[in-house]
Amino acid sequence: MSAVGKPVNRPKKNGGLFSKGAVKHMTEDGSANEESDAERVPRRLREAAAKSDGKKSKRNSKRDIEADDTEDEATLELEKRTEKYKRGAEVKGKVRSKKAQAAIDHAQKRRVEAAKSAARSEMLLTESGGYLEAEGTERTFKFTQRQIAENVDIGSTDKMFNLKLDEFGPYNLKYSVNGRHMLLGGRRGHIASVDWRNGKLGCELHLRETVRDVCWLHNESLFAVAQKSQAYIYDHTGAEVHSLSRHIQPTALGFMPHHMLLASTGMTGRVVYQDVTEGRVAGEHRSGYGPSHVLRISPYNAVAHVGHGNGVVTLWGPQQPQALAKVHCHRGPVQALALDSSGTYMATSGLDGRVRIWDIRRFEPLHEYRTARPAQALDISQRGLLAAAWGRSVSIWKDALTTRVDAPYMRHQLEAEVSSAGFVPYDDVLGCGHAQGVASVLVPGAGEPNFDALVANPFQTPRQRQETEVRMLLDKLPADSVQLDPNFIGRMDPRSRAQQHSDSLADAQMRHAAARGSGAHLDSAVRNKTKGRNSTAKRYARKRNANVVDLKRLQEMERLEKDLRESAAKRRKGPLPAHETGALHRFYAEKNSTR
């Protein structure tokens, strides 16, 4: 046969002549002898290979277990961090409209994704805050600023300065949101804005008028000044932009960045809110407690906390005619007030020489500290350090909000009496204004080490500042959204309309029953105006005096008991005459007595 017609044995992929694990040898008679790989490999080599395979499998299993444990730990850490960034509770229940339900599910999904994204970004932050640590019998409050400056880098040393301004003091100072700019206000009319990180002067004014307080607005381009007669707004060049005539004799200012509202209180005892974007007055309320000198805006819910001369701190909103809450904090006038960033704790100082820490959620005092003199300035840093200044001394307490500490974290003595104090955002610096100028103090661990560039960027460019300003105007919240619980906004009631009606009816019945038991229903109930014994005033007085026992009431009760005893004795003797049992029997008794 020719080679063309001869069949050819080609190798197969599986089970052919060159298959793995078997080799075929052709013998002389044409038969194939199959020999396995195991028979061709020596025994020792087979045992060594088996042992190595076992070790590899064990190592791989250990790696898998370790990888699973690491993954579980990372998952738990992510879930723990996610809880911190969640805003509001999850919406439970369903609504009838499919479109509305889809919108609710989508919004809830985006909220969860945003919380997870914030938690992941936090895990990637490399900076961490540190505090002073003492060794042995040392105490951190004994460390001086000179010792701290000798052991820190040059960049931190440059942040320590002392401005000698003894002609126009005492000074109030405020820092911008990103902590880059400082605003100074001297009591005798000196105003200055400074880029204190670079040592550049923005603007400087001599108003030749009493200045009681200063305040930055949404950024460093505008600021407000509380002058003798009213408040004014200036730009970054020092030019007067607005004159706020409704803010009469202001003593303290505060700004709400999310609502674009400027709040003030003053000698008239009024709390005034001014919308800086529209120029209108968003709210004006009379406190009823006389002149006020203390005002702080909560960074959590934008509620204004006002301290009064009788020791009461009132909480105000722009659209609420009455105070949201009233807290009696001190026996004397409130001297200073500070709020933490979470909106949980409030620190107050009074003329009674005490600094009290309050839980705003329950409006209850947690603990208090005694100072040598009444503290004139208070402030709380981003990481919870409490600074209190009295006289020429400034004391900083660590973990003073949650627990009562015995010794301060740091102490510092200034040249003159301190009038104001404030921590620099995103930095370990405390600024103090006193009668002879301004000084800065290094406080390790005070500022947040990592900043969010979308919230506050200390290194922002002019272009970024403009974009941030436009975004703040677009995201501006209405004035009526200021309330104690900011999470209440946009919350949906999962109950049906019938269930809501039944629940409201049950609540109304319970309130009516409670009002009838206490007599309060007579205050608001609609009554017929009658005269005589059964008039409205008489019934109201009887209801109010139901449990009141006085001499007149005792005499009346004794007379009624005597009449009952006499009538019972007459009935026991026999049937009474007709003239004594009729409707006019009392006139017969009076006639017999006169005879």
Side-chain angles (χ1 to χ4, degrees), residues 340-358:
D340 72 326
S341 58
S342 64
T344 306
Y345 301 103
M346 176 179 66
T348 59
S349 67
L351 206 59
D352 53 1
R354 288 175 172 82
V355 176
R356 287 193 172 96
I357 309 300
W358 298 81

Side-chain angles (χ1 to χ4, degrees), residues 146-220:
R146 181 176 298 177
Q147 294 175 346
I148 295 174
E150 293 175 355
N151 294 275
V152 296
D153 58 327
I154 299 177
S156 299
T157 307
D158 294 339
K159 297 175 183 177
M160 300 175 58
F161 61 87
N162 188 6
L163 296 178
K164 191 74 173 179
L165 305 170
D166 54 354
E167 297 182 4
F168 304 100
Y171 279 85
N172 288 329
L173 80 164
K174 295 290 178 63
Y175 290 96
S176 59
V177 179
N178 56 13
R180 184 172 178 176
H181 297 267
M182 178 175 60
L183 181 62
L184 306 178
R187 180 60 61 90
R188 301 178 186 177
H190 180 220
I191 303 295
S193 64
V194 184
D195 184 358
W196 70 277
R197 293 183 184 272
N198 300 324
K200 296 181 180 180
L201 178 64
C203 68
E204 187 175 9
L205 302 173
H206 292 276
L207 302 177
R208 298 181 182 181
E209 191 179 18
T210 302
V211 174
R212 298 189 179 96
D213 196 10
V214 291
C215 177
W216 288 110
L217 298 189
H218 58 285
N219 54 27
E220 61 274 9

Side-chain angles (χ1 to χ4, degrees), residues 91-153:
V91 180
K92 297 181 180 180
K94 300 292 183 179
V95 296
R96 292 184 178 180
S97 175
K98 294 182 178 180
K99 186 176 181 180
Q101 185 63 39
I104 293 172
D105 296 340
H106 181 66
Q108 187 169 348
K109 183 179 178 181
R110 289 186 59 186
R111 187 165 59 249
V112 172
E113 291 178 353
K116 289 183 178 180
S117 177
R120 292 192 191 99
S121 62
E122 183 183 359
M123 295 176 67
L124 298 176
L125 298 177
T126 58
E127 299 292 336
S128 60
Y131 298 97
L132 289 176
E133 295 183 0
E135 297 180 355
T137 59
E138 295 180 342
R139 295 293 181 266
T140 56
F141 62 84
K142 294 184 178 181
F143 295 154
T144 62
Q145 289 294 305
R146 181 176 298 177
Q147 294 175 346
I148 295 174
E150 293 175 355
N151 294 275
V152 296
D153 58 327

Side-chain angles (χ1 to χ4, degrees), residues 362-418:
R362 299 179 298 173
F363 298 105
E364 294 180 357
L366 300 178
H367 43 268
E368 66 177 25
Y369 302 92
R370 291 190 177 183
T371 56
R373 294 173 58 183
Q376 299 294 329
L378 292 176
D379 197 23
I380 300 176
S381 69
Q382 292 176 326
R383 302 191 65 193
L385 297 184
L386 174 63
W390 63 88
R392 297 171 56 187
S393 301
V394 178
S395 295
I396 298 100
W397 282 283
K398 178 185 175 184
D399 300 328
L401 302 179
T402 56
T403 58
R404 193 185 189 284
V405 294
D406 298 330
Y409 173 60
M410 290 184 62
R411 284 177 180 171
H412 185 64
Q413 291 285 336
L414 295 173
E415 299 178 358
E417 186 172 353
V418 182

Side-chain angles (χ1 to χ4, degrees), residues 206-500:
H206 292 276
L207 302 177
R208 298 181 182 181
E209 191 179 18
T210 302
V211 174
R212 298 189 179 96
D213 196 10
V214 291
C215 177
W216 288 110
L217 298 189
H218 58 285
N219 54 27
E220 61 274 9
S221 62
L222 294 173
F223 59 90
V225 180
Q227 298 180 204
K228 182 178 180 179
S229 59
Q230 61 187 34
Y232 294 87
I233 296 179
Y234 299 89
D235 63 358
H236 64 283
T237 62
E240 181 182 328
V241 179
H242 296 289
S243 174
L244 309 178
S245 59
R246 298 291 293 273
H247 300 254
I248 303 173
Q249 297 180 356
T251 57
L253 299 174
F255 186 72
M256 305 176 184
H258 300 290
H259 304 78
M260 290 292 181
L261 295 178
L262 177 66
S264 72
T265 185
M267 303 300 292
T268 59
R270 294 176 178 269
V271 182
V272 184
Y273 294 87
Q274 187 92 24
D275 192 333
V276 298
T277 60
E278 301 177 5
R280 63 180 181 85
V281 176
E284 185 175 359
H285 313 297
R286 185 189 299 272
S287 64
Y289 292 113
S292 303
H293 301 274
V294 181
L295 183 141
R296 283 294 183 99
I297 303 298
S298 174
Y300 175 67
N301 52 15
V303 173
H305 294 62
V306 182
H308 303 280
N310 58 351
V312 175
V313 174
T314 55
L315 281 65
W316 296 89
Q319 299 295 328
Q320 289 79 6
Q322 301 295 331
L324 300 176
K326 298 179 181 180
V327 186
H328 192 271
C329 299
H330 297 276
R331 296 182 179 178
V334 179
Q335 297 295 106
L337 190 148
L339 301 166
D340 72 326
S341 58
S342 64
T344 306
Y345 301 103
M346 176 179 66
T348 59
S349 67
L351 206 59
D352 53 1
R354 288 175 172 82
V355 176
R356 287 193 172 96
I357 309 300
W358 298 81
D359 188 349
I360 306 180
R361 297 169 297 183
R362 299 179 298 173
F363 298 105
E364 294 180 357
L366 300 178
H367 43 268
E368 66 177 25
Y369 302 92
R370 291 190 177 183
T371 56
R373 294 173 58 183
Q376 299 294 329
L378 292 176
D379 197 23
I380 300 176
S381 69
Q382 292 176 326
R383 302 191 65 193
L385 297 184
L386 174 63
W390 63 88
R392 297 171 56 187
S393 301
V394 178
S395 295
I396 298 100
W397 282 283
K398 178 185 175 184
D399 300 328
L401 302 179
T402 56
T403 58
R404 193 185 189 284
V405 294
D406 298 330
Y409 173 60
M410 290 184 62
R411 284 177 180 171
H412 185 64
Q413 291 285 336
L414 295 173
E415 299 178 358
E417 186 172 353
V418 182
S419 58
S420 64
F423 285 99
V424 180
Y426 307 103
D427 211 334
D428 297 340
V429 177
L430 173 67
C432 300
H434 51 84
Q436 296 184 4
V438 178
S440 65
V441 181
L442 287 181
V443 183
E448 183 66 33
N450 301 287
F451 64 90
D452 189 353
L454 297 178
V455 177
N457 186 7
F459 310 102
Q460 66 180 0
T461 61
R463 179 66 177 176
Q464 292 174 344
R465 181 180 59 80
Q466 295 174 1
E467 293 177 355
T468 304
E469 186 174 2
V470 173
R471 186 163 56 250
M472 291 178 66
L473 291 173
L474 293 176
D475 297 339
K476 174 188 171 184
L477 298 177
D480 55 0
S481 63
V482 177
Q483 52 188 345
L484 289 177
D485 185 10
N487 296 324
F488 181 77
I489 303 173
R491 185 182 300 172
M492 296 187 61
D493 194 347
R495 299 176 300 173
S496 61
R497 183 171 299 178
Q499 187 177 0
Q500 293 178 11

